[in-house]
Amino acid sequence: MAANDILNTEILLNNAEAETGLKDYGDDSFQQRFGLAVDALININMDEAGQQAAADVCHWLLTSRLQLFNDHKTYPGLVDEVIEAPLFATGEPRSGTTLLHALLSVDPDSRSLRFWEVMYPSPPPGLAQTDDARRVRADDDWREINALAPDWLKIHPYNDMLGDGLPECERTWAMDFRVMTPTAWWRAPIGMYVGGLPVDSKAQYIIHKMILQHCQYGRPIKRWALKGFHGPRLQAFFDTYPDARLIWTHRDPVQVTASRIGMAGVLTKTFSGHVNMQEQAAIHLAATRAGIKETLTNPLVDDPRIFHVRYTDFVSDPVGTIAQFYQFSGFEMTTEAEQAMRDYLANNKGDRYGKFHYSTDMIGVDIEALHQEFAPYRERFNLDIEQRK
C-alpha cells in the first residue's frame, strides 16, 4: 500500500466519521489543521508499519474528538458545569512539577484528571461505574508503554499508576492535533515530537475547559488540581480561568536543560528506534532558552494570582510549600490533606525504579557561559547555581 493511502487526511476523516456516525469536530478549521499534522507525520518518513501505527493513533484521536463534542450536545447540563477556583502547577520541564501535581491530587478535597479519562473520554467519566472497561483498557495501554520504555519509570516513576495516573494539561490537546505527546503517540515511531504544529492558546483552553466540564459532570464538585506548561500562555489561561491560582516552580535552567535532554534521549530512542543526542541537545537547549526569555519578558509573570517558588525550597519541604500555596490561594491545608501528602511521599520514593542519571555534559556548550546567560533569570527568582552530586 502506498504511504499516501495510509496517511491520507480525507480517508482518515471519513473513516472516523463512518465509525462514529458523527461529523461535527467542533471547529471549522479543524480539518485543515489535521491535514497539517498528517503532513508532519508523512515528513517523518516512517516505513509502512510506522505509518499504519500513526494512522491508527489518528483514528483513535479523531473518534474521541467527535464523541466528546457530541456528548456536549447530548448530555443536558454538561456545558453548564462551572470550573471554580482551580489550582494549577507549572514550571519549566524537570522542575518538580510532576511531584507537586501528585501531592496536590491526593488532597481529598481535590480532583485531578486521570489518564483513562483523557484517553477514552466518552461518555462522561463521572457516569462510569468502577468496572468501566475504559479503566482496564487504559491500564493495559500503560503496561504496554512501561514495557516499551522501562527507563521512563526512572524519570517518571508516577507512570506506575497506569490508567489512574495524572496527565499533564497538554494531553487534553492531543485530540486537537496541536501537540504530539508520547502518551498519545507511543505506538507510532515518531519519537519525542517537539514543536512544528500550529498553536492557538485561546482555542486550546476552550477544549481544555470542555474536558474539565466533561470529567466533572455527574460528580460531586471538588477543587481541580492540575499541571501543565502554562507559562507561555498566561493571557489565555487567565482569560479562561480568571479565579485560578498558579504555583510556579523555578529551577537552575542549566540543570533543567540537562535533565530534559536526558529524558528526550530516552523517549526518542524508545519510540523511534534511534536518537541523535546532539540534535536533541540543540532542540531542548533552544526550548529552555525560549521558555526563560518568555518568563523574563511576559508582564503577566507578576500577576498576583501566581505563587512563585524555588525548586530547591519545594524539594526540601514539599508539604510545607503546598501549605504556603494553599494559604496564598485562600484554602485550608486540612489534617487529612497533609497526612495524605506525607503518606504519598513515604510510599512513593522518586528513585523506586532506579536513579535517573544525567549530566550537564549532555548540553554540549560552554557551561560557564550558559550560567552567565541565565544569570538574569536566576537573579529574578533568587536561584543559586545548582550543585548536583
Side-chain angles (χ1 to χ4, degrees), residues 113-130:
L113 290 172
R114 303 291 170 172
F115 267 113
W116 76 269
E117 299 171 341
V118 296
M119 295 168 92
Y120 305 108
S122 182
L127 305 181
Q129 302 300 312
T130 55

Side-chain angles (χ1 to χ4, degrees), residues 166-238:
L166 301 166
E168 296 169 346
C169 292
E170 282 72 16
R171 183 57 180 79
T172 68
W173 298 326
M175 69 175 69
D176 208 28
F177 291 88
R178 298 186 190 276
V179 297
M180 290 188 180
T181 170
T183 59
W185 288 89
W186 80 91
R187 289 193 174 106
I190 68 172
M192 190 171 177
Y193 193 92
V194 178
L197 298 176
V199 297
D200 180 336
S201 296
K202 182 177 179 181
Q204 287 170 256
Y205 282 110
I206 288 173
I207 198 166
H208 183 276
K209 185 175 180 179
M210 283 181 66
I211 290 178
L212 295 190
Q213 291 175 311
H214 202 78
C215 293
Q216 182 172 284
Y217 182 72
R219 289 170 162 164
I221 300 296
K222 288 189 175 185
R223 178 179 63 237
W224 281 101
L226 303 158
K227 172 215 167 177
F229 299 106
H230 300 290
R233 313 177 181 93
L234 288 177
Q235 186 64 63
F237 172 81
F238 281 124

Side-chain angles (χ1 to χ4, degrees), residues 365-379:
V365 300
D366 184 327
I367 298 303
E368 288 306 315
L370 204 56
H371 282 312
Q372 288 299 315
E373 177 183 337
F374 290 136
Y377 177 81
R378 293 200 316 275
E379 291 167 6

Side-chain angles (χ1 to χ4, degrees), residues 213-267:
Q213 291 175 311
H214 202 78
C215 293
Q216 182 172 284
Y217 182 72
R219 289 170 162 164
I221 300 296
K222 288 189 175 185
R223 178 179 63 237
W224 281 101
L226 303 158
K227 172 215 167 177
F229 299 106
H230 300 290
R233 313 177 181 93
L234 288 177
Q235 186 64 63
F237 172 81
F238 281 124
D239 285 347
T240 306
Y241 303 112
D243 58 352
R245 295 295 181 269
L246 184 66
I247 179 170
W248 191 329
T249 59
H250 297 277
R251 186 182 185 187
D252 176 358
V254 172
Q255 294 299 329
V256 163
T257 304
S259 185
R260 66 190 293 175
I261 291 169
M263 179 178 70
V266 169
L267 297 185

Side-chain angles (χ1 to χ4, degrees), residues 282-309:
I283 289 170
H284 291 280
L285 175 56
T288 299
R289 282 171 162 155
I292 297 304
K293 180 179 179 181
E294 168 68 26
T295 299
L296 290 175
T297 58
N298 189 341
L300 281 175
V301 168
D302 295 317
D303 190 282
R305 292 166 288 187
I306 301 174
F307 182 75
H308 294 284
V309 61

